[in-house]
Amino acid sequence: MRRRDDTHTRPTGSRPAGAVGAAHDRGWDGDVRAALGCAGVLLGLLLVADWAADSLTWWRGALWATLALLLLFVLFPVRVSAGVGWLAVRRLLVTRRVRTDLLTAVRPLDGVAQRLILRDTLGNRVEIDPDVLIRNPNLWYLLDEGARVSEAAGTLLCGRTALRRLATRLDRETALGVFRVSDMK
């Protein structure tokens, strides 16, 4: 049975070098390792401290393991992936998907943790960290292509300015990266 957001559209423009049908967050694996490391270090420290105090029992060990598991759940990163016409955000238990070629709104949320909220005409909504798009140009390209299709179709009602600001930030970060690599600070 097909979902209502599984329609396909044709891509416009050319793809960047190295882009294939779908793109994923390249830093996700490292973020998962960091989350596992933090949870493991916490568990190890709690067990060693409890053992040194000579108060380690099986139920206290289970309590420390539960606490470390909760920390892992809090720190576990979301996995962002995109393809032609869609962008998906996968958490531990749920995957949310938005059609980028049917976007109605793109809104930035400023604050301690910046977020970009995307909504489509089908009522789907995802939140992503803009830094994920900056670190992964292929994800940005696929989102931008879908947003251009939405803008041309007239469904993108608000968010053009937010996308332009993000594009400017991406260009600036790319230029700074080129300067850093070529020692032209």
Side-chain angles (χ1 to χ4, degrees), residues 97-119:
R97 190 173 172 157
V98 71
R99 294 290 310 266
T100 57
D101 55 351
L102 297 174
L103 287 176
T104 58
V106 178
R107 295 179 190 234
L109 274 182
D110 293 329
V112 174
Q114 292 184 349
R115 295 279 177 233
L116 196 63
I117 299 175
L118 308 171
R119 293 182 187 268

Side-chain angles (χ1 to χ4, degrees), residues 64-127:
W64 301 143
T66 303
L67 187 63
L69 191 62
L70 285 174
L71 179 66
L72 178 65
F73 285 149
V74 168
L75 295 179
F76 201 83
V78 297
R79 179 148 194 166
V80 179
S81 57
V84 177
W86 59 272
L87 185 128
V89 175
R90 191 171 105 205
R91 299 189 188 281
L92 279 175
L93 300 175
V94 68
T95 300
R96 296 191 186 265
R97 190 173 172 157
V98 71
R99 294 290 310 266
T100 57
D101 55 351
L102 297 174
L103 287 176
T104 58
V106 178
R107 295 179 190 234
L109 274 182
D110 293 329
V112 174
Q114 292 184 349
R115 295 279 177 233
L116 196 63
I117 299 175
L118 308 171
R119 293 182 187 268
D120 66 9
T121 57
L122 302 172
N124 300 319
R125 175 185 181 271
V126 296
E127 283 186 33

